[in-house]
Amino acid sequence: MTAVNITGLGVVSALGKGAQHHSDQLRSGVVGIRQHQIDQIVLYAGRVSYSNRQLSALCEVPFSQYISRTAWLGLLAAKEALGNLASDSKIPAAFINGSTVGGMDLSEQYFKAVSRGELGDTGLFQMHDLGANTDFIASNLVHFDYVNTLSTACSSAANAIMQGAQLISSGEYHRVLVGGTDALCNFTIEGFKALMVYDPELCQPFDINRRGLNLGEGAAYLLLESDKGMKESGNSCIAKLSGWANRNDAFHNTGTSPEGIGAQKAMRAAIEIARLSVADIDYINAHGTGTPTNDSSELAAMESVFGGQLPDFSSTKGATGHTLAASGAIEAVISISSILENCAFGTVGISHPMTSSKALLTRPKSKEIRHVMSNSFGFGGNSTSLIFSKNR
């Protein structure tokens, strides 16, 4: 099986832009979630500080009102991940993007105009489709021989990373850009409020008194290369993607089973693919949304898989917000940073931990980290676990 090397990282979220910046912010306990007014709604959310015009300037692409915020965020992070390959590449490459929101922010503008009795601009629908956002990002980068869009709710980007790893390990491609992007919009805000899982205050993952999640927005991508791909690009390996797995417990349309059956199976399979044991995992970046159901289910799953060897774990969503499809990629970048920095990041917002286990980190912990597991769980029980390993 061909090694899957990670040679580039790109990320933007409410914490800012860049992998090193995110690591510094998390070490300092910075929270990117703020109280915002989005249309007529006042809520806590992890909003990226750049306007769409600022994003277009950072991307060095002319601004257009018909380009979605999802696409602008994705292009910014993708350019950072590609680095000097953003304008030149010889090896056939693939691009796999995860998203759930797509151009909904623009579609909403049309419907608002119509609701006011105005004639809506149908051009606002050209980015509605998820694939249109992927195509826009791809068209402003290198030529890709294969482009795909995945939408599996909150595990979308993690599944994009997993599919990219499969393309590399099979030898089908030697360079694959993988990740995801999502922007805040009324559709998702109102949707999660309807599910009664939105926290009106700052969220508290893995706290006894957790009430729900805070939404966020952002994007992140990893550049995956085989040894052959690195030889052509001249890139260096930052870390390895050593294990990946997706499983589904099909328990409920939006919730996971109380025991986290799908999560258990995904974690066990990822460890097996990585040819590791549970004792080899040094840190888990948990899905940890802050909802009563998710956190109890995920903790039960981790305890079932790791037993008395539960490694240090935390959720970083208390700092970034839950960025939906992008969360798996943003947390992949954070997981890789934990290896590079030898630091397991803490869970902000905890006042009363839901477990007495010392494995639940409330603040950053310096330690040698060789292998990190990153969990991403989506609606319908779509559970994905990724394992990142130190390059040796």
Side-chain angles (χ1 to χ4, degrees):
M1 185 171 72
T2 304
V4 182
N5 305 296
I6 300 162
T7 62
L9 303 174
V11 60
V12 59
S13 80
L15 288 177
K17 176 181 177 294
Q20 185 61 57
H21 178 76
H22 275 68
S23 178
D24 294 342
Q25 297 286 79
L26 290 169
R27 275 183 176 272
S28 301
V30 173
V31 175
I33 300 169
R34 302 282 188 275
Q35 194 173 59
H36 298 280
Q37 180 170 333
I38 300 175
D39 288 338
Q40 303 302 313
I41 305 169
V42 177
L43 76 167
Y44 283 91
R47 197 171 194 178
V48 173
S49 61
Y50 304 119
S51 69
N52 284 7
R53 285 190 178 274
Q54 289 172 322
L55 288 169
S56 74
L58 289 168
C59 292
E60 299 180 322
V61 172
F63 175 77
S64 168
Q65 64 177 332
Y66 297 115
I67 303 303
S68 73
R69 186 167 177 81
T70 297
W72 286 125
L73 290 168
L75 180 57
L76 182 62
K79 279 198 161 190
E80 182 187 4
L82 275 176
N84 61 7
L85 295 180
S87 59
D88 181 35
S89 180
K90 300 171 186 173
I91 282 186
F95 176 41
I96 308 172
N97 185 40
S99 186
T100 61
V101 172
M104 186 66 73
D105 59 323
L106 300 182
S107 306
E108 288 174 347
Q109 293 180 31
Y110 172 86
F111 287 118
K112 286 173 189 172
V114 171
S115 71
R116 294 191 297 264
E118 301 170 8
L119 184 63
D121 184 350
T122 55
L124 293 168
F125 279 108
Q126 67 183 13
M127 297 292 286
H128 183 83
D129 183 78
L130 300 179
N133 293 265
T134 302
D135 286 343
F136 171 80
I137 297 169
S139 67
N140 284 281
L141 299 171
V142 299
H143 170 74
F144 292 103
D145 289 75
Y146 173 75
V147 176
N148 195 8
T149 306
L150 298 183
S151 187
T152 57
C154 307
S155 59
S156 300
N159 283 331
I161 294 170
M162 180 181 70
Q163 187 179 41
Q166 291 168 334
L167 291 177
I168 294 285
S169 64
S170 67
E172 189 169 352
Y173 280 90
H174 295 283
R175 181 174 298 130
V176 187
L177 181 67
V178 290
T181 178
D182 261 344
L184 285 166
C185 68
N186 282 341
F187 177 79
T188 48
I189 291 169
E190 293 291 356
F192 278 92
K193 286 176 69 177
L195 290 171
M196 295 183 288
V197 293
Y198 207 96
D199 194 329
E201 303 295 332
L202 290 174
C203 65
Q204 296 178 282
F206 295 114
D207 191 279
I208 289 175
N209 300 312
R210 64 196 184 280
R211 298 165 297 273
L213 56 80
N214 298 144
L215 286 175
E217 64 180 2
Y221 295 92
L222 315 181
L223 181 59
L224 308 181
E225 294 186 89
S226 66
D227 291 343
K228 179 180 178 180
M230 288 199 305
K231 185 176 180 180
E232 190 272 340
S233 67
N235 286 334
S236 299
C237 178
I238 298 169
K240 302 282 188 180
L241 176 51
S242 56
W244 53 83
N246 171 268
R247 297 293 185 270
N248 197 315
D249 59 17
F251 176 77
H252 187 269
N253 285 344
T254 59
T256 56
S257 63
E259 308 88 351
I261 300 300
Q264 288 183 40
K265 291 180 177 180
M267 286 187 277
R268 288 193 173 103
I271 291 170
E272 182 178 350
I273 288 172
R275 299 179 182 177
L276 299 172
S277 69
V278 294
D280 292 320
I281 305 300
D282 300 301
Y283 168 54
I284 302 174
N285 187 294
H287 189 58
T289 61
T291 65
T293 301
N294 175 89
D295 292 7
S296 61
S297 173
E298 185 171 10
L299 179 59
M302 289 189 293
E303 288 176 338
S304 175
V305 172
F306 292 92
Q309 296 177 297
L310 182 60
D312 292 326
F313 73 94
S314 68
S315 169
T316 49
K317 286 186 174 68
T320 64
H322 189 355
T323 56
L324 302 181
S327 62
I330 291 173
E331 288 155 26
V333 170
I334 291 170
S335 296
I336 294 163
S337 294
S338 72
I339 292 173
L340 300 176
E341 302 278 335
N342 281 317
C343 176
F345 300 111
T347 310
V348 297
I350 292 182
S351 56
H352 298 88
M354 63 178 285
T355 174
S356 60
S357 172
K358 299 297 183 184
L360 173 56
L361 300 180
T362 58
R363 56 180 56 87
K365 178 180 178 180
S366 295
K367 58 180 287 190
E368 178 169 6
I369 298 181
R370 301 159 301 158
H371 306 285
V372 178
M373 174 179 284
S374 181
N375 288 335
S376 299
F377 305 143
F379 281 170
N382 194 297
S383 303
T384 302
S385 292
L386 305 171
I387 297 177
F388 302 97
S389 300
K390 192 182 291 282
N391 181 36
R392 295 187 181 278

